[in-house]
Amino acid sequence: MHVFSRAKARWREAGRRLASLAVVAVTAAALAVAGPAAPALAQGMSLIRDAEIETTIRGWAAPLLRAAGVSPDSVTIRMVRDDSLNAFVTLGNKMYIHTGLLKRSDNASQVIGVMAHEIGHIAGGHAVRLKDEVETAQMLSMIAAALGMAAAVGSGRGDVGTAVMMGGSQAALKNLFSFSRTQESAADQAALKYLNATGQSAQGLLEFFEILGDQELLLTSQQDPYVRTHPLTRERIATIRNAVENSAYPQRTETAADQIAHARMVAKLFAFLETPGRTFQRYPQSSTEIPARYAHAVAYYRQGKLAQALPIIDGLVAEYPHDPYFHELRGQMLLENGRVADSLDSYRRAVELRPDAPLIRIALAHAMIETQDDSLLAAAQEHLNEALKTERADGMAWRLLGISYGRQDNLTMASYAMAESALLQGDPSQALFHASRAEQGLKTGEPTWLRVQDVKQRAQNLMDEKKRRGG
């Protein structure tokens, strides 16, 4: 301890570092244990989009959201490409579901139950409240660090200061764990309420929790993220089980349509995300069920065997001519195998059947642009602009729009579209460059000019934020 008295400056610096580490530790713990804000997010996540699967899960979520008093249009649901079991919500009413959870679910009720729980977090404002709790925990940790440094200076003993700091951090962590357990219980109760209000059983939620309950015996590193981010206790499971047994809907209440939609979703995800070999193992080629044939078509397509894939999807289209997603997959197969012109009819038919599916419109526009036929550019722009009414964060749609306008020598609109695309790609300098070019060709006050001003402001804000962070 005599080192401290001879080098107080170094102790103060060490104290500052410990304070910083304490804050980081509390923040990391909060993200690890609290359901609503779980895995630190957005950066590094690989999202996948699919019109059919998104329509399915949004259809399941809509009645639950309405029961919770939340507008379905105000909630964004996305799939994270990750094989683990997890789902979480973040600020801005965003719900993320791991593909692993969807693939490994046994029935629609399990997915619906998980979504009901996550909607409980949304309706309870838990993501916002968690942010406040994390900030409080950070403050407690900093106070503890300051007290620890004072104790070390006053006593001349570094171990006393460390003990005070660690005690403060542990108190902050204890508060966060308690807050998280409270939130999870509240989300459970909300889920039960929403499921009952929509005439659905909580049996699926119970089944999912029982699956996770088995993981509590595993090492933390081997557990699925849902167990770590949604603290699970025997009391919680017992509460759900009791609610199911005493509910007016004790048994699973899936419709035949839900069962088919779930089976198709799992088959499609499996075929696109697993190796073709594993797909054929899970869905034997002797099977004539719709999900199996769907998976076979995708598996052959991913192997580059269009000659085997096309007859299967053609057979499905012939049997179910009003299914937009079979037409969509056929268009995708043809487009990505260089048969661009041939893909147009399939995509057009898919859009006719699902005009409210922006992702299919974007795919059709992509095919139109790829034909190099300039007579199709206006139609492509119509589809893209319609899709962007609800998919403004789709960078590919903006990029395609920019390309189409560029081919028409409409450099003003091309620059505006590329500015939006650059902003979504996290390149504010390019966004500012393109926005400034677009601005030169626009009249002050017109709608596009106003949107360009918004892009410039957001780009400047991003650049300022990067400077503040030293990036």
Side-chain angles (χ1 to χ4, degrees), residues 81-102:
R81 181 173 182 172
D82 191 297
D83 221 27
S84 60
L85 290 173
N86 203 13
F88 52 92
V89 298
T90 66
L91 293 171
N93 286 1
K94 294 181 174 64
M95 183 190 302
Y96 296 89
I97 305 176
H98 282 207
T99 54
L101 187 152
L102 297 174

Side-chain angles (χ1 to χ4, degrees), residues 215-230:
Q215 293 200 12
E216 290 192 307
L217 299 175
L218 300 176
L219 295 173
T220 300
S221 61
Q222 297 175 332
Q223 293 174 340
D224 275 297
Y226 204 93
V227 178
R228 301 195 297 270
T229 58
H230 297 67

Side-chain angles (χ1 to χ4, degrees), residues 126-439:
H126 295 169
V128 176
R129 292 170 59 199
L130 175 69
K131 180 175 179 289
D132 294 338
E133 289 294 317
V134 170
E135 290 173 355
T136 299
Q138 289 175 333
M139 183 60 69
L140 287 173
S141 292
M142 286 188 282
I143 291 171
L147 291 173
M149 285 186 284
V153 172
S155 65
R157 292 180 57 189
D159 59 329
V160 173
T162 301
V164 172
M165 282 186 252
M166 292 303 295
S169 294
Q170 289 299 319
L173 282 171
K174 184 177 180 181
N175 287 341
L176 274 173
F177 272 84
S178 175
F179 179 72
S180 178
R181 285 193 294 269
T182 301
Q183 283 190 341
E184 291 307 306
S185 178
D188 289 345
Q189 293 302 315
L192 294 171
K193 177 183 175 182
Y194 306 150
L195 289 165
N196 189 65
T198 54
Q200 300 182 86
S201 173
Q203 179 67 31
L205 180 61
L206 175 61
E207 291 171 359
F208 183 72
F209 278 0
E210 288 174 338
I211 292 170
L212 293 175
D214 294 338
Q215 293 200 12
E216 290 192 307
L217 299 175
L218 300 176
L219 295 173
T220 300
S221 61
Q222 297 175 332
Q223 293 174 340
D224 275 297
Y226 204 93
V227 178
R228 301 195 297 270
T229 58
H230 297 67
L232 199 60
T233 64
R234 292 180 180 178
E235 289 77 14
R236 283 182 64 200
I237 295 176
T239 298
I240 300 294
R241 182 180 294 109
N242 183 64
V244 170
E245 291 172 352
N246 293 282
S247 167
Y249 312 100
Q251 302 300 319
R252 285 201 300 269
T253 48
E254 300 165 11
T255 65
D258 286 340
Q259 294 171 0
I260 293 171
H262 177 266
R264 283 179 55 158
M265 174 183 71
V266 172
K268 194 172 190 180
L269 282 172
F270 201 94
F272 268 109
L273 301 179
E274 301 290 345
T275 65
R278 289 201 63 195
T279 298
F280 286 121
Q281 285 178 353
R282 175 159 179 167
Y283 298 95
Q285 290 170 285
S286 58
S287 176
T288 58
E289 298 291 323
I290 293 174
R293 291 160 66 191
Y294 209 4
H296 298 161
V298 173
Y300 279 128
Y301 148 71
R302 290 188 61 216
Q303 287 179 319
K305 297 178 179 179
L306 191 62
Q308 285 95 329
L310 267 182
I312 298 173
I313 197 64
D314 284 344
L316 290 169
V317 166
E319 290 178 45
Y320 304 95
H322 300 297
D323 189 308
Y325 308 113
F326 291 153
H327 290 283
E328 180 196 19
L329 179 58
R330 187 176 190 277
Q332 181 179 352
M333 289 178 175
L334 293 169
L335 175 63
E336 294 185 10
N337 278 276
R339 293 173 57 178
V340 181
D342 293 340
S343 72
L344 293 178
D345 285 343
S346 292
Y347 277 133
R348 284 181 175 130
R349 182 58 177 150
V351 170
E352 286 175 7
L353 292 166
R354 284 308 303 253
D356 59 340
L359 297 183
I360 302 180
R361 285 186 180 272
I362 293 169
L364 171 57
H366 182 198
M368 288 177 163
I369 292 168
E370 286 293 322
T371 64
Q372 304 299 317
D373 181 351
D374 287 356
S375 68
L376 297 176
L377 292 176
Q381 289 162 10
E382 287 181 14
H383 288 296
L384 290 169
N385 282 314
E386 184 63 30
L388 285 166
K389 289 178 181 179
T390 54
E391 291 287 339
R392 294 196 65 79
D394 193 305
M396 179 179 180
W398 285 112
R399 189 163 58 253
L400 289 170
L401 194 60
I403 292 169
S404 70
Y405 281 127
R407 292 245 300 268
Q408 291 178 325
D409 293 326
N410 186 342
L411 300 184
T412 295
M413 291 305 296
S415 295
Y416 164 59
M418 296 308 287
E420 291 277 14
S421 177
L423 195 61
L424 289 166
Q425 292 172 356
D427 191 342
S429 61
Q430 278 296 304
L432 272 176
F433 170 76
H434 288 297
S436 297
R437 287 186 62 182
E439 188 178 30

